[in-house]
Amino acid sequence: MNLTFDDGYQFGLGAFETLALVNGQPIWLEAHEARMRQTLDWLGITLPADWKNRFQTYIDRNGEGMGVVKILASANNLSFTARPNPYETLESRPGFVLGLSDIRRNESSPFVRHKTFNYGDSILAKRQAAKNGIDEPIFCNSCGELTEGAVSNLFFIKDGKL
């Protein structure tokens, strides 16, 4: 894979999506594509017209046993990576350990509303949490409000409603 060191790889101006594969087929591809296009549009980046063909070629060549595929797009790059799905081998136990991160989300930053390459806070928080026996760190914003996990979303049921 040859990468051009554009603003995506130098400054984080790119988008990514991570999709589960079941029997070599991506799950919710259209929804992931829509979210990625929204972020790329915001960044002023156009997804190549042939991206789905390139994606399918990658899966056809590398998909055997693959559980997760990541699509990464920046102004001059489109790349894919694959790995096993970590949730398929997650240790069976009665709970999932959450902990609050010391890192705060900046609710005034437009980047918190998009899935971009700017993911350093999440990765560092996830690594620190793992050292402390925590499965997923949860972020608050600067107002102390719960926002999201490092690699997850938060959902609540209140009065019987999601």
Side-chain angles (χ1 to χ4, degrees):
M1 165 179 18
N2 293 323
L3 294 176
T4 301
F5 290 98
D6 61 8
D7 286 349
Y9 287 86
Q10 293 187 79
F11 305 112
L13 300 180
F16 76 93
E17 286 292 327
T18 307
L19 296 86
L21 295 177
V22 175
N23 299 321
Q25 296 301 310
I27 303 301
W28 297 334
L29 179 60
E30 293 77 20
H32 285 281
E33 177 185 3
R35 181 169 57 182
M36 187 167 60
R37 283 188 186 278
Q38 182 180 19
T39 296
L40 291 173
D41 287 347
W42 175 71
L43 292 170
I45 298 170
T46 302
L47 193 61
D50 68 341
W51 87 269
K52 277 190 181 175
N53 291 335
R54 292 161 65 179
F55 179 63
Q56 189 60 52
T57 299
Y58 179 81
I59 291 173
D60 291 345
R61 287 186 184 154
N62 304 289
E64 190 65 35
M66 194 169 40
V68 174
V69 64
K70 184 179 280 191
I71 306 165
L72 301 110
S74 62
N76 299 315
N77 297 286
L78 177 65
S79 58
F80 312 102
T81 62
R83 60 179 165 77
N85 187 336
Y87 300 107
E88 290 176 357
T89 59
L90 191 63
E91 181 182 324
S92 179
R93 59 178 191 240
F96 194 76
V97 181
L98 304 176
L100 290 177
S101 174
D102 292 334
I103 299 170
R104 296 287 186 236
R105 290 289 194 233
N106 177 359
E107 68 277 3
S108 69
S109 171
F111 283 94
V112 300
R113 291 166 183 76
H114 297 279
K115 199 166 181 181
T116 71
F117 291 176
N118 284 282
Y119 230 65
D121 284 347
S122 294
I123 300 304
L124 293 176
K126 187 84 169 164
R127 288 177 183 169
Q128 183 60 46
K131 288 179 186 176
N132 295 323
I134 295 170
D135 296 309
E136 178 71 345
I138 302 299
F139 295 108
C140 293
N141 63 18
S142 63
C143 299
E145 300 163 329
L146 295 173
T147 60
E148 63 186 344
V151 295
S152 63
N153 296 305
L154 297 177
F155 297 92
F156 294 91
I157 298 174
K158 183 176 180 178
D159 299 326
K161 295 181 182 178
L162 182 62

